[in-house]
Amino acid sequence: MSILFLDFMLRALLAAFLTGLAAPAVGTYLVQRRLALLGDGIGHVAVTGVAIGLLTGASPTLTAIVVAIIGGVLIELIRQQGRSSGDVALALLFYGGIAGGILVTGLAGVGAAGLQAFLFGSIATISWADVWVTVGLVAIVVVLALGLAPQLFAVAQDEEFARVAGLNTRLYNIVVSVLAAVTVTVAMRTVGLLLVSALMIIPVATAQQLTRSFRATLVSAMGLGTVAAVGGLVVSALAPAQVNVAPGATIVLVSLAGFVLAWPVGVWTRRRRRLATPFVDPVLPPNEGDPHLDGRHTVVPESHEHHHGADCGHQAVPHGDHVDYVHEGHRHAAHGSHYDEH
Amino acid sequence: MPVNDPTTVVQVRDGAVSLGGRPVLRRIDLSIAPGEVLAVLGANGSGKSTLVRAITGLAPLSHGEVLLFDTPVSRFRDWKRVGFVPQRATAASGVPASVWEVVAAGRLSHRAPFRPMRAGDRAAVAAAIAAVGLTDRSREGVSTLSGGQQQRVLIARAIAGEPDLLILDEPTAGIDRQSQESLAETLRLATTRGVTIVLVTHELGPLAGLIGRTVVMRDGQVTYDGPPTSTDHADLDPGHHHHLPGAGADYAPVVTAPIGGAGRPMGGRHLR
């Protein structure tokens, strides 16, 4: 256990915690806009940024953040312009980003090994300067993602409504893209560019198995993200010394394990909610009158010994002015002396 | 309604809209006075949705101008006076959202970024949810509601902003009768407060009693503008299809009992 208290481990834990906090905060908006793969796209573009850093001798983090922001804004502008061809344009950018990265790294004479630290993460080599940069960037991301939550939520939820509410939807969409780019660069050192998006998306996917509101999803995804990032790092640190367990991989796998645990619970609660959805009578032209005479309503022919009630264990579902009970494919309600099939 | 009334809520002067170079709205002249309840009728593709998109500034004009509260729409900033219900099959998105959260978005036209909601905002959200009869569902996820209830959520979101002008694009498309009647009641309440209503629909249904004026669109032009007539429906293209994308999903699936069916003896008992 003593490894956990080494200085480098402390830095790594701090970096993992911050990454786990920021990534799902942005990821929630990406999932809401059904752009779950945007983080991957920006990650690919950031490879070129890292390569430019390696070539020019500038800080790869700095060049990566600049190129990732340019890429993120470009992706958003392409999305706003094109309608159906948007995903193809995005794909072109992804491929361009990673191909450019490989080419430029070759020019820099570093070879693929130089890129590896960024592709798969190198959390153990993080310096205190890196940690402070991470603290600053994560603070910006979290403040914007939470502070602008009502606006970002509205824009992602219904862009046309948001525009008519006077929100600058184009600006807010670009804000999300820039936040995603910053997050990708922050997480680059922790989980690596190839797995960045996992930490943005999986905690959100896990959280929404169990949540009903946006706020709860956002907050619990951030909680799950930190648990996965710190937990995954600890798992990799405690692995036997003779095997090389990459922290990026364990972080993502711990996160996925959380999803695997939450998913059956989500399936079960969704099923329960669907069963409890009130029955609504179909729209009938007004002259057809009472919806109860629509022909689908028949008296239950069997004698019904059992009396349905609030605690009889059968699914009770509101239906108009009464309650139906569902069991064994029936759906019926007490009507005077008998049960009516609905 | 006097045409030279200096204060109009909406004014379209010789408006035209082209989408990708193709004219979809032509020679539109429309003036809507405060408190009017106007229905825009027409077949699918007649340009009625484009008309409200032009009025809200979502579809830029290729010719002419649109004034909202006597301000050109491109310079209009007082969006809290406008409530909009876009044409949508669902109020849900990729992440769960509660009814309250979706309706609370209707207050954003009153709020600056980084400012928390005030008590007045919360009261308006609660009132809007109550107006559409969903108070007991306000903490639930919108995706668990029926299509009609989701439509009511979108209407609550628009009225939460306490607008002077309410624009609704096909709010009754594919929703159950209970929700249609709830919508009619909500709009009736709004009209008593003097709200101007522009309603796009191809079927008035329970809303017919509210409408004071109808505009009928055909082929991107206004072909009728005046009091509602009994021929409103005859003017629609008989070939139009109803927007019922959620018709199947709107209602809980019909439970077919294995013992149900017309041929079975009913033991002489009555059908209620």
Side-chain angles (χ1 to χ4, degrees):
Chain A
M1 289 298 266
S2 60
I3 187 173
L4 293 179
F5 302 104
L6 294 178
D7 196 41
F8 85 87
M9 196 59 200
L10 201 66
R11 292 194 298 264
L13 281 171
L14 203 54
F17 174 83
L18 292 167
T19 311
L21 201 63
V26 178
T28 307
Y29 297 107
L30 301 186
V31 173
Q32 197 194 5
R33 289 167 58 189
R34 305 186 198 280
L35 279 175
L37 295 177
L38 183 72
D40 283 304
I42 293 175
H44 283 56
V45 173
V47 174
T48 296
V50 169
I52 291 173
L54 295 175
L55 178 68
T56 59
S59 154
T61 308
L62 186 72
T63 50
I65 207 165
V66 170
V67 172
I69 287 176
I70 292 172
V73 171
L74 211 58
I75 290 172
E76 179 54 33
L77 292 179
I78 291 171
R79 200 190 66 83
Q80 284 175 9
Q81 292 302 319
R83 298 219 178 270
S84 56
S85 62
D87 62 330
V88 176
L90 294 189
L92 297 178
L93 208 58
F94 298 178
Y95 307 143
I98 201 143
I102 294 166
L103 181 73
V104 176
T105 319
L107 293 180
V110 190
L115 266 187
Q116 195 153 343
F118 299 93
L119 290 179
F120 302 105
S122 57
I123 198 166
T125 63
I126 284 176
S127 68
W128 277 114
D130 292 331
V131 172
W132 295 127
V133 170
T134 304
V135 168
L137 293 176
V138 166
I140 293 170
V141 168
V142 170
V143 164
L144 288 177
L146 294 182
L148 290 175
Q151 285 77 15
L152 296 176
F153 166 78
V155 171
Q157 214 258 341
D158 188 340
E159 198 163 332
E160 294 205 329
F161 173 83
R163 268 176 73 186
V164 178
L167 297 180
N168 188 339
T169 55
R170 189 162 294 180
L171 178 69
Y172 284 116
N173 280 330
I174 286 177
V175 165
V176 171
S177 269
V178 170
L179 289 181
V182 171
T183 309
V184 162
T185 331
V186 165
M188 171 171 85
R189 299 295 296 278
T190 322
V191 287
L193 287 171
L194 291 183
L195 289 174
V196 161
S197 199
L199 203 49
M200 296 171 91
I201 303 306
I202 297 170
V204 183
T206 308
Q208 68 180 5
Q209 297 302 316
L210 309 170
T211 54
R212 289 190 291 185
S213 75
F214 184 80
R215 176 172 290 269
T217 310
L218 179 62
V219 172
S220 47
M222 290 171 75
L224 288 166
T226 54
V227 169
V230 172
L233 181 62
V234 170
V235 167
S236 87
L238 295 181
Q242 59 269 32
V243 290
N244 179 19
V245 177
T250 50
I251 287 172
V252 172
L253 288 174
V254 166
S255 194
L256 267 177
F259 178 81
V260 169
L261 289 177
W263 185 69
V265 183
V267 169
W268 181 74
T269 49
R270 276 193 296 276
R271 185 183 141 79
R272 278 193 58 97
R273 273 186 221 149
R274 204 163 37 242
L275 280 176
T277 305
F279 293 112
V280 179
D281 289 308
V283 186
L284 292 175
N287 56 358
E288 286 187 36
D290 187 349
H292 290 293
L293 297 178
D294 66 358
R296 226 175 279 141
H297 163 106
T298 54
V299 173
V300 180
E302 64 186 308
S303 65
H304 212 92
E305 299 295 329
H306 175 75
H307 282 279
H308 289 299
D311 50 359
C312 69
H314 292 123
Q315 181 72 47
V317 183
H319 178 206
D321 56 357
H322 58 274
V323 175
D324 283 354
Y325 290 91
V326 178
H327 72 87
E328 294 159 277
H330 295 268
R331 166 187 154 200
H332 53 217
H335 180 221
S337 60
H338 59 275
Y339 275 86
D340 287 336
E341 189 71 28
H342 280 182
Chain B
M1 181 204 66
V3 178
N4 57 353
D5 192 331
T7 51
T8 55
V9 176
V10 177
Q11 202 160 10
V12 185
R13 292 192 193 132
D14 195 18
V17 171
S18 300
L19 294 180
R22 185 184 159 88
V24 289
L25 221 56
R26 297 169 292 164
R27 292 193 290 280
I28 305 289
D29 282 290
L30 190 66
S31 183
I32 305 173
E36 273 198 280
V37 180
L38 178 139
V40 181
L41 302 170
N44 291 332
S46 61
K48 56 191 195 306
S49 275
T50 310
L51 177 60
V52 295
R53 289 173 59 82
I55 290 172
T56 52
L58 290 171
L61 291 188
S62 54
H63 187 264
E65 65 174 344
V66 171
L67 305 179
L68 281 179
F69 300 99
D70 300 323
T71 307
V73 69
S74 55
R75 285 193 275 121
F76 186 75
R77 292 291 171 269
D78 206 7
W79 288 107
K80 61 177 177 290
R81 300 189 73 179
V82 181
F84 180 49
V85 180
Q87 188 176 356
R88 275 179 76 109
T90 165
S93 61
V95 167
S98 70
V99 169
W100 189 90
E101 286 175 318
V102 174
V103 175
R107 292 302 291 179
L108 286 175
S109 51
H110 294 255
R111 294 170 61 192
F114 296 109
R115 295 287 159 83
M117 287 183 99
R118 295 195 205 101
D121 294 318
R122 291 179 183 281
V125 171
I129 294 174
V132 299
L134 290 174
T135 302
D136 56 333
R137 316 289 304 258
S138 66
R139 296 283 152 191
E140 291 191 33
V142 283
S143 61
T144 64
L145 303 184
S146 74
Q149 288 172 329
Q150 292 194 27
Q151 197 66 45
R152 281 147 71 181
V153 171
L154 297 182
I155 289 156
R157 179 178 66 176
I159 62 176
E162 296 166 322
D164 298 322
L165 167 64
L166 189 55
I167 300 172
L168 306 99
D169 194 354
E170 298 274 9
T172 55
I175 72 172
D176 57 274
R177 190 170 56 185
Q178 194 193 344
S179 289
Q180 286 192 21
E181 277 159 9
S182 153
L183 166 66
E185 188 50 40
T186 308
L187 296 186
R188 190 172 295 123
L189 222 70
T191 56
T192 60
R193 296 201 318 267
V195 176
T196 308
I197 295 176
V198 177
L199 172 77
V200 171
T201 186
H202 57 246
E203 210 173 22
L204 287 175
L207 303 174
L210 286 170
I211 307 298
R213 175 182 167 196
T214 57
V215 164
V216 179
M217 304 280 301
R218 181 186 281 165
D219 198 19
Q221 289 178 289
V222 174
T223 56
Y224 175 84
D225 182 353
T229 64
S230 56
T231 57
D232 282 345
H233 282 77
D235 211 306
L236 302 180
D237 177 1
H240 81 277
H241 64 274
H242 292 253
H243 275 291
L244 288 171
D250 195 9
Y251 320 111
V254 175
V255 179
T256 45
I259 55 148
R264 290 195 65 91
M266 293 300 166
R269 277 182 274 194
H270 68 285
L271 300 179
R272 180 154 61 113

